[in-house]
Amino acid sequence: MTSEEFRKNAHKAVDWVADYLENIEHYPVKSQVAPGDIGNQIPSYPPEDSEVFDNLMSDLDQIIMPGITHWQHPNFHAYFSGNNSYPSIIAELLTAGLGAQCMIWETSPAAAELEEKMMEWLKSLMGLPKQWHGVIQDTASTSTLAAILTAREQKTKSNQLGMSAERLRIYCSTQTHSSIDKAVRIAGIGSNNLVKVDVDEHLAMNPEKLAHAIKNDLSAGYVPTAVVSTLGTTSTLAMDPVDAIDNIAKQYQIWHHVDAAYAGSAFVLPHERPAGLTHIDSYVFNPHKWLFTNFDCSAYYVKDKDKLIDTFEILPEYLKTGTRGRVNDYRDWGIPLGRRFRALKLWFVLRTFGAKGIRARISDHIDHGKWLAEQIDSHISFELLIPRTLNLVVFRYKTSQGDPNVLNQSLLEQINASGRAYLTHTKINGNYGLRLVAGQTYLKRKHIENVWKLICSTAASLDQ
Ligand SMILES: *Cc1c(COP(=O)(O)O)cnc(C)c1O
């Protein structure tokens, strides 16, 4: 492709994206294809000869689009949203155009310095402790792994000595995200040494049970190493009592990591901010979920950056530079050497929306969740399985006959098969509930009203 062809084709691609987002409500939210449907249409070998661009675009429409689930559809209410926005998309295009590899300051000083500033901006936007140092990681999973590896290094110096015979223990609640299970496996700590602490009636970690578990472990010869609190669990957005957990972490001198992957974006609203973050050791939230910055972009903060760098710094001759110590070389702040220039899209998003714009949209989303929760709560045939938190509503259809779990599972399947909305489910104390997140970038009140009508009419049809 020549530069002239690039200019022409890229304009077509931009028009394609604009058309796509303008018309997104005409697509079925959840892809309706069966396994193999897409793969079977792709040749087994790459072409010998060059193909023309227009053929690629028509295959995108014909082959790929039926197999896309439309995460930017306003009625995408599944999992947690993975939002984009126009400024974020433009910045991604520019990032690809620059094609810079941002492993150290020297490989693109602007990338390192903008990243440092964007992490400062996010701190001030969210009211996070001023003394923290931030770095962009690809995902919350990687950020949490970095936290566990740092905690491990603090206790064992295993980077140099290899894995110790000591049995390290990590604590989290029974509601914690699976990325913590993965992190303890990768870190060589082992699933058996991940202690899942019981929760209270709000599904938040019970700090007394945590203290009890640590005490038991100490007397059994284990080495308590880290506790992971969650602000906004994936199932129900439960908020662990970070304050009380931090007191225990300090008492036993263990690392305290806080996972606010989704809910962290809500802290742009001062009244939603949690207490107790000041002394924690590390923190993660994902702008790529609810902050209009397309995947991937995870904001990871630490109280003591030397401990982080101690864990990941490695210095071969070919990476030695004259600026070390005066600038941030972010390859020493995480696992990969190579790094994308992710700060650019945050810069574009935060300047285009403005802090006010971001607060307004997040606050609207919470209002939509509140509205829906009120409809459900006052409807004779529906109930909330747990009180609404932020913009997450977990509910079920009530039935006098049959198994409510089976009924609600078919309710979910039928809603998703309609193509008009996409919800997922969770189970609370054995009860199956539909889980609706009101957080898509382009969500308006009318979309929530429509999905509520769809839920009611689908449920009514199940009764017949
Ligand atoms: C989504 C989520 C994660 C995982 O995020 P990734 O960036 O996909 O790794 C971790 N913790 C919580 C609470 C989440 O909601």
Side-chain angles (χ1 to χ4, degrees), residues 226-263:
V227 58
V228 179
S229 304
T230 309
L231 288 172
T233 59
T234 311
S235 173
T236 65
L237 283 185
M239 304 282 176
D240 288 342
V242 172
D243 240 350
I245 293 169
D246 200 57
N247 287 337
I248 297 167
K250 295 296 168 294
Q251 185 184 346
Y252 293 100
Q253 298 183 334
I254 67 176
W255 190 271
H256 187 191
H257 174 63
V258 173
D259 174 2
Y262 185 74

Side-chain angles (χ1 to χ4, degrees), residues 80 139-141 177 179 230 232-234 259 261-262 286 288-289 295:
F80 283 132
T139 59
S141 303
H177 189 265
S179 54
T230 309
T233 59
T234 311
D259 174 2
Y262 185 74
N286 283 343
H288 70 223
K289 280 181 167 164
F295 191 85

Side-chain angles (χ1 to χ4, degrees), residues 82 92 115 119 134-147 179 182 186 261 283-289 293-301 312 330 333-343 345-346:
E92 276 289 21
E115 181 161 338
M119 293 296 93
V135 54
I136 304 180
Q137 307 277 1
D138 54 3
T139 59
S141 303
T142 301
S143 300
T144 293
L145 176 58
S179 54
K182 217 180 203 178
I186 298 170
Y283 178 85
V284 61
F285 88 98
N286 283 343
H288 70 223
K289 280 181 167 164
T293 306
N294 61 279
F295 191 85
D296 53 354
C297 184
S298 179
Y300 179 57
Y301 288 97
F312 293 110
Y330 285 118
W333 295 53
I335 295 162
L337 169 64
R339 309 183 77 252
R340 282 159 43 67
F341 184 10
R342 299 190 189 87
K345 59 189 173 188
L346 268 175

